[in-house]
Amino acid sequence: MSSRYSRRSFIVTTGLASCAALAAGRAAWGSPGEKMRLGLVTYLWGRDWDLPTLIANCEKTGMEGVELRTQHAHRVEPNLSADERANVRKRFADSPVVLVGLGTNQAYHYPDPAVLRKSIEDTKAFIKLSHDVGGLGVKVKPNDLPKNVPPEKTIVQIGEALNEVAAFGADYGQRIRLEVHGGCAPLPIMKKIMDVAAHPNVGVCWNSNAEDLRGEGLVHNFNLVKDRLADTVHVRELNLGDYPFQELMDLLVGMDYAGWILLECRTEPPDRVAALKEQREVWRRMIAAAQAKVAS
């Protein structure tokens, strides 16, 4: 390991290498899971809200933070000028809502070296943007295992690209969150990627996929990446569908996870503000139930 790599690793004071490390102060903090915070991903429910509306609606609904997806109505993109970036930063600074980070579509599975290099450089542009607007990190994707390429070769390529952007992000105080997504969504594949992506500034963004339940089941798959979880977890509507969200909350509370639970909702409710308020109440009940299990 190079000395430069070691210095960058040291810079990441909060760390993403292990949520166990984030939770080391359980005795001082009190009830397990109490450091988790609920926020919104602007996937569908916030896609057409401009930035002032988005922040206002988060305030109304108790969403403590937000991950801004690229190419949505809030228009927080790398082409913003310095003044525009300062304005975004100020809007969040003047609000209790935290800019958790930026959700990008950058991925590192491409067989074409030029395409791969462009995605890495584009990721660095988002890292600079997140830093300038006051964000905490950048979400990226693996995102696939291309045909006619040995899977292990792609896995190593993704992991090495992540090490590069994670080191770059550390210099800007920006965490790198690898979303469990696409053809790499099975957790055994994600674990292999993270075994290569050893830089402590990159972690797994759990994404609540159907693949989580396959093979040996949720608990086994969760444990594969438990020690490399990032500070963001994506969930869908907590009271819809057949995904075992209560079991997921039990696992997160059980390890005293200290990150963000971000709603990445998929439905089209007539009143999204009311729907967000409902989701917050459902989440509170789930966390209380999980904490009661730990205490019993």
Side-chain angles (χ1 to χ4, degrees):
M1 182 179 293
S2 71
S3 60
R4 187 164 183 254
Y5 186 99
S6 299
R7 288 196 300 273
R8 279 175 165 170
S9 299
F10 181 77
I11 289 170
V12 190
T13 55
T14 54
L16 288 177
S18 168
C19 278
L22 287 173
R26 174 183 295 184
W29 291 348
S31 300
E34 71 176 16
K35 285 286 184 176
M36 283 193 287
R37 301 170 73 181
L38 186 67
L40 173 68
V41 177
T42 59
Y43 171 56
L44 287 181
W45 287 11
R47 68 191 184 280
D48 55 357
W49 292 338
D50 62 19
L51 195 57
T53 303
L54 175 63
I55 293 173
N57 286 343
C58 285
E59 291 177 356
K60 291 175 188 175
T61 57
M63 296 295 110
E64 298 178 80
V66 63
E67 178 184 285
L68 303 180
R69 281 292 184 89
T70 187
Q71 300 175 339
H72 283 184
H74 36 72
R75 296 180 181 176
V76 179
E77 304 289 346
N79 63 357
L80 291 183
S81 67
D83 287 346
E84 290 169 329
R85 294 177 186 220
N87 181 59
V88 173
R89 177 185 281 269
K90 185 176 187 305
R91 286 189 182 277
F92 279 102
D94 291 343
S95 165
V97 179
V98 174
L99 177 51
V100 178
L102 306 180
T104 81
N105 292 316
Q106 301 308 315
Y108 313 114
H109 63 280
Y110 305 108
D112 185 333
V115 177
L116 171 63
R117 175 46 51 185
K118 183 178 187 305
S119 190
I120 290 172
E121 296 305 318
D122 287 349
T123 303
K124 292 177 180 179
F126 275 105
I127 287 169
K128 292 178 180 178
L129 172 64
S130 186
H131 169 270
D132 291 348
V133 298
L136 304 178
V138 171
K139 186 220 73 180
V140 297
K141 299 176 180 179
N143 187 45
D144 202 1
L145 297 177
K147 296 178 180 179
N148 303 319
V149 178
E152 293 303 322
K153 179 179 179 181
T154 301
I155 285 169
V156 170
Q157 174 181 299
I158 294 170
E160 290 177 345
L162 286 166
N163 283 330
E164 179 177 344
V165 298
F168 187 88
D171 287 346
Y172 284 85
Q174 297 299 305
R175 302 161 183 170
I176 303 301
R177 298 123 176 188
L178 182 67
E179 186 176 28
V180 182
H181 196 273
C184 297
L187 273 302
I189 296 174
M190 293 297 297
K191 183 183 185 305
K192 289 181 179 180
I193 292 171
M194 296 308 294
D195 286 344
V196 178
H199 196 289
N201 194 41
V202 59
V204 172
C205 174
W206 190 268
N207 200 39
S208 303
N209 302 316
E211 288 87 351
D212 305 346
L213 313 181
R214 295 176 183 168
E216 297 184 53
L218 178 63
V219 174
H220 172 82
N221 289 328
F222 183 85
N223 286 336
L224 289 177
V225 297
K226 173 182 176 180
D227 292 338
R228 296 298 305 276
L229 284 181
D231 58 340
T232 56
V233 167
H234 289 177
V235 298
R236 318 301 170 210
E237 293 85 338
L238 296 168
N239 53 348
L240 297 176
D242 55 5
Y243 191 93
F245 283 115
Q246 182 63 66
E247 187 176 1
L248 176 62
M249 295 304 140
D250 293 349
L251 291 168
L252 292 168
V253 169
M255 66 176 285
D256 205 6
Y257 181 70
W260 289 90
I261 308 300
L262 299 176
L263 291 164
E264 187 181 25
C265 299
R266 295 177 171 178
T267 57
E268 294 283 3
D271 186 340
R272 283 175 275 166
V273 169
L276 283 170
K277 290 179 180 178
E278 178 188 31
Q279 288 300 309
R280 180 160 185 81
E281 291 309 309
V282 173
W283 181 71
R284 283 174 171 167
R285 291 195 296 269
M286 284 185 167
I287 297 304
Q291 290 172 330
K293 291 175 185 176
V294 171
S296 63

